[in-house]
Amino acid sequence: MTDFSTCTAPGINRLNPYVPGKPIDELERELGLSETIKLASNENPLGPSPLGVEAAARTIAGVNQYPDDSGYRLKARLGEKYGLKPQQLLLGAGSSDVIDMVARTFLSPGSNAVFSRYSFAMYPIYTTAAGAECRVAAAYPPDHESMPYGHDLQAMAKLVDGDTRVVFIANPNNPTGTWLRVGELQRFIQDLPEHVVVVLDEAYTEYVTEEDFPDGVDWLATFPNLVVTRTFSKIYGLAGLRIGYGMASAALVDLIGRVRHPFNVNAPALAAAEAALDDEEFLQQSRDVNTAGLVQLGSAFTAMGLAWIPSIGNFLTVHLGRSGAQVYQHLLEQGIIVRPVANYDLPEHIRVTVGTQVENQRFIKALQEVLAA
């Protein structure tokens, strides 16, 4: 029998595939549970945008036809929101799809991409799949005074050379929740060579209430090498529809769009995203619930004597002082799904998505019991 591992593109055999959060249905089927809560995938605990649901439902009768591949209506709405031309917008099946397009456009054998330790797991997957080298910068140490586990931009800058084609930066970062402030990030991008494409991954930006936090859109006119990605999967609650977008100069969008799969965004997703942009009441409610939940979880971790990483996303990552995978497994047995993060080189941590107040309290009680056992 042929060993197909000898036939793959360079780097594929070294890849560890992305492992998503465990689905509720799967856990309940395996363990015979009910009333399971999922705090693993940074989904909105309030559900999807009501305006988005209504708009998506209206498209169902027409799904025998392909969607508008241009995404004209959604691009027009996004352009109006951000002051951009449609030619500066690129739609994807989640923002990760757009990030993948950037990697396939600019990365190849002999080139490299730079990103920080503890950053989004798909960056090394996309880089390696393109045959390029991953250059991983050391993050700030756990005892850093202002941003433990955060991006060390000086360390990242030292890894950039003439073969660097892409720098990936998540702000806020997943899975740590750490962030970069306006001045330091702006200086970093400004000092990069012009040939380096910067992907500023802002999947969680709508949750941020921090004052000194950058809005990448403001820099698009200044930095022609900048790509800003955002998603409808998080605060808008449309994760199941898979829709996100990228914003950049028209020249960059033209190049990146050449590797886009046709009809990569479905019709219900296009309609839901367009409508959800107007759902300000839902967004504010989601933001308020998240802000309160971060305090609730952080206070509980402190009371339990656990160190946790400051976050401005919709999740907290906590250091348990023991195997995160084992604690995760014990929580599963109680019908609570969180995220072990050993794949991010954090074997004694778990990441917990902010839920409703009731969900958070149930998790806190379960964690206390697991740690006391």
Side-chain angles (χ1 to χ4, degrees):
M1 181 179 291
T2 301
D3 179 6
F4 286 101
S5 67
T6 65
C7 307
T8 63
I12 298 301
N13 290 324
R14 301 196 309 272
L15 283 177
N16 292 315
Y18 180 83
V19 180
K22 197 175 188 73
I24 290 175
D25 289 349
E26 181 180 339
L27 177 64
E28 293 186 341
R29 185 171 60 250
E30 288 178 357
L31 301 183
L33 299 172
S34 60
E35 298 183 358
T36 298
I37 60 172
K38 184 183 179 188
L39 304 175
S41 300
N42 302 341
E43 297 152 338
N44 190 328
L46 301 184
S49 155
L51 294 184
V53 170
E54 293 172 7
R58 290 193 294 268
T59 71
I60 296 301
V63 295
N64 59 305
Q65 298 179 335
Y66 287 107
D68 174 12
D69 195 43
S70 72
Y72 173 81
R73 289 175 58 91
L74 179 56
K75 285 183 180 179
R77 182 66 185 84
L78 288 167
E80 177 186 343
K81 179 178 176 66
Y82 296 117
L84 301 174
K85 298 177 181 178
Q87 296 90 337
Q88 293 182 264
L89 291 152
L90 186 69
L91 304 181
S95 57
S96 58
D97 186 25
V98 178
I99 295 169
D100 182 33
M101 291 183 223
V102 174
R104 287 188 287 122
T105 302
F106 294 104
L107 295 175
S108 61
S111 67
N112 68 70
V114 173
F115 47 90
S116 178
R117 188 183 184 193
Y118 312 127
S119 55
F120 185 36
M122 294 308 299
Y123 301 157
I125 290 177
Y126 293 149
T127 300
T128 304
E133 175 192 357
C134 297
R135 293 194 171 181
V136 185
Y140 287 133
D143 60 353
H144 190 267
E145 59 182 358
S146 64
M147 198 61 65
Y149 298 94
H151 284 41
D152 182 341
L153 294 179
Q154 290 186 353
M156 292 179 67
K158 290 178 181 178
L159 297 181
V160 174
D161 64 13
D163 294 324
T164 304
R165 293 294 176 267
V166 180
V167 171
F168 295 111
I169 299 174
N171 199 38
N173 182 58
N174 172 33
T176 60
T178 52
W179 65 99
L180 294 161
R181 297 177 176 88
V182 173
E184 59 182 340
L185 181 55
Q186 188 173 23
R187 286 190 296 272
F188 173 78
I189 298 174
Q190 184 173 310
D191 291 343
L192 286 173
E194 293 181 356
H195 71 270
V196 176
V197 174
V198 181
V199 176
L200 185 55
D201 180 353
E202 296 185 336
Y204 301 93
T205 190
E206 292 89 356
Y207 280 112
V208 175
T209 58
E210 184 81 8
E211 288 188 5
D212 190 19
F213 185 82
D215 181 341
V217 178
D218 293 342
W219 296 340
L220 289 175
T222 305
F223 300 120
N225 59 332
L226 177 63
V227 179
V228 178
T229 63
R230 294 187 181 177
T231 184
F232 289 93
S233 296
K234 306 306 178 184
I235 200 168
Y236 291 99
L238 302 179
L241 288 176
R242 306 304 300 126
I243 181 163
Y245 56 102
M247 299 172 282
S249 67
L252 272 185
V253 168
D254 173 62
L255 290 172
I256 299 166
R258 298 180 190 191
V259 302
R260 181 183 64 86
H261 295 164
F263 307 109
N264 62 327
V265 179
N266 64 69
L270 288 168
E274 181 186 349
L277 286 170
D278 293 322
D279 210 342
E280 291 295 337
E281 181 179 352
F282 175 74
L283 261 65
Q284 189 58 54
Q285 182 184 10
S286 300
R287 196 176 293 114
D288 291 344
V289 167
N290 188 69
T291 300
L294 287 172
V295 174
Q296 182 184 9
L297 290 172
S299 298
F301 293 150
T302 299
M304 284 186 266
L306 300 175
W308 47 279
I309 304 173
S311 168
I312 56 173
N314 69 334
F315 54 88
L316 278 180
T317 297
V318 57
H319 185 210
L320 304 169
R322 63 180 74 180
S323 169
Q326 291 181 6
V327 171
Y328 160 77
Q329 193 63 44
H330 289 311
L331 289 171
L332 286 182
E333 294 166 3
Q334 298 195 43
I336 297 173
I337 308 172
V338 296
R339 190 65 176 268
V341 285
N343 61 314
Y344 287 98
D345 202 18
L346 295 167
E348 294 189 345
H349 290 71
I350 56 172
R351 189 192 68 194
V352 185
T353 302
V354 174
T356 64
Q357 183 180 24
V358 172
E359 290 173 334
N360 295 337
Q361 191 55 47
R362 183 176 158 194
F363 157 73
I364 291 166
K365 183 175 182 296
L367 182 63
Q368 289 171 332
E369 293 174 357
V370 169
L371 296 181

